[in-house]
Amino acid sequence: LEDFTEKSGSYDQYPVIMDCYRAAKNYVKVDELWEELGAVSPSGAVVAEGRIVHSQSLAERGKIDEALRALRKRVKPLSRPSDYHLRLWYCLADLEERAGNVVVARQWFERVAKFSPNFADVNYRVKQLS
């Protein structure tokens, strides 16, 4: 993936590469790639996926507040969300729940369920928080 990215000049695979580094717990590389991705700001979907991976890596390092800030500043309710918005909302809901913000988490999970009732385990998550 890194060779493809270098040769093509495309940033589309950055979130996947970031996630591989996250899985290997190479958080320095995740942060570096996130900075690079943010600097070029490709499509909204690619940036959103990168934001999700980066926020998850922050959470894994015990930086839940920082992960929440990273998502909250770019996540807002929409009347016609794209798939990547639903993934951002779900990720935010998950982090809000981990931070103990149950009411806010449930609201975001409910918002995901409203637009995509079969999204991952969203209905289960809503029931667990009700």
Side-chain angles (χ1 to χ4, degrees):
L1 288 173
E2 288 175 331
D3 285 347
F4 166 79
T5 298
E6 185 177 320
K7 289 175 183 171
S8 69
S10 170
Y11 291 89
D12 291 351
Q13 298 304 312
Y14 259 53
V16 178
I17 297 167
M18 289 169 63
D19 209 24
C20 291
Y21 281 117
R22 185 188 63 80
K25 300 194 183 325
N26 186 342
Y27 300 122
V28 170
K29 193 67 176 171
V30 173
D31 292 343
E32 288 173 6
L33 291 172
W34 172 241
E35 289 296 321
E36 289 178 27
L37 190 62
V40 296
S41 193
S43 72
V46 172
V47 173
E49 293 302 325
R51 186 176 308 283
I52 289 168
V53 173
H54 186 247
S55 68
Q56 291 299 311
S57 78
L58 291 169
E60 288 173 4
R61 293 179 258 178
K63 300 177 179 183
I64 296 284
D65 289 340
E66 193 175 334
L68 283 168
R69 278 193 303 276
L71 286 180
R72 285 178 183 154
K73 71 180 180 180
R74 295 294 182 196
V75 175
K76 60 185 173 191
L78 300 168
S79 59
R80 287 189 277 167
S82 298
D83 287 341
Y84 71 87
H85 293 114
L86 298 176
R87 289 191 295 279
L88 282 168
W89 294 354
Y90 184 93
C91 183
L92 178 59
D94 178 68
L95 289 173
E96 293 285 8
E97 181 182 9
R98 287 197 243 173
N101 306 323
V102 176
V103 173
V104 175
R106 185 177 60 243
Q107 290 169 341
W108 282 108
F109 281 131
E110 287 172 344
R111 188 167 281 124
V112 172
K114 174 184 172 185
F115 290 100
S116 184
N118 296 319
F119 189 94
D121 64 348
V122 73
N123 288 316
Y124 172 79
R125 301 291 293 266
V126 169
K127 286 178 187 175
Q128 291 297 100
L129 296 176
S130 297

